[in-house]
Amino acid sequence: DSLTHQLIDYLMGEIDGVPKAARYLFNLYMSLKQYREAARTAIIIAKEDQASGSYRTAHDVLFEMYQNLLKHKIKIPNEMVHNLMLLHSYILVKLHVKKGDHMKAARMLIRVASNISKFPSHIAQILTSTVVECYRSGLRASAFSYAAMLLRPEYRSQIDPKWKKKIEQIVRKPDKSEEEEPTDPCPQCGTLLPQTMLECGECKNTLPYCIVTGRHMLKEDWCECPHCSWPALYSVFREFVCRW
């Protein structure tokens, strides 16, 4: 025990005043099966990766830790749940664009852009993608909102020249038409909610979301990935597996 505490103190910089890479501390906690401490360290590591723009790495760190906590029936920190949801939503954007489903891509980008401070290395790029996908999908009010944000002085110079005129035009001649998002029942209480809303105002639950679409789950269309046990909408997951 005393050697373990000495090693932890060393890794945290208590001995020589130089904190070591958090990954070493994470690996130590995992080997000692101290999963709560490992979870706190995983959040720190993921934040560092996310701040530097390494979104896939940050996602994988949190996902691995999430799986370990589930396996050992340990409560998952809310911060981990929220950060993993944002990172997964961002990763889903490329999948939806590749499939040509610009509406789903737009919905995920709106979720990410609403938390843009969590993606400090690529603020202008993400906001630009949000404007483009929203405009393509007919979500003109959302496109206008994020285009106006992009034209703030702190972001304007970072806009890709390819899109700058289009973004300026969207703001100069605003079209704020936008269809409401389709609704589905909350899997907990049955209240109708927008498909990508993950908080139910009626029962106050945070809702599980589909690994393929990012939408909240449906009680009657539920399955789990056989590899990672993450929930998925059965109708979508079956199509996804057959196609990919």
Side-chain angles (χ1 to χ4, degrees), residues 131 143-144 147-148 150-151 156-157 159 161 163-174:
V131 173
F144 169 78
L150 259 176
L151 292 180
R156 189 170 192 139
S157 63
I159 300 174
W163 298 109
K164 192 167 187 179
K165 284 187 179 179
K166 182 64 178 178
I167 289 167
E168 289 172 344
Q169 183 183 18
I170 289 172
V171 173
R172 278 200 309 270
K173 299 178 181 179

Side-chain angles (χ1 to χ4, degrees), residues 88-104:
H88 193 73
S89 299
Y90 181 75
I91 287 168
L92 283 178
V93 171
K94 287 185 179 179
L95 173 66
H96 294 323
V97 171
K98 187 175 180 180
K99 290 171 59 182
D101 195 334
H102 296 286
M103 179 61 80
K104 283 191 178 72

Side-chain angles (χ1 to χ4, degrees), residues 219-238:
K219 189 184 294 184
E220 68 278 6
D221 193 24
W222 195 297
C223 73
E224 292 182 351
C225 170
H227 177 67
C228 67
S229 300
W230 202 270
L233 295 168
Y234 174 73
S235 55
V236 178
F237 191 69
R238 181 178 58 183

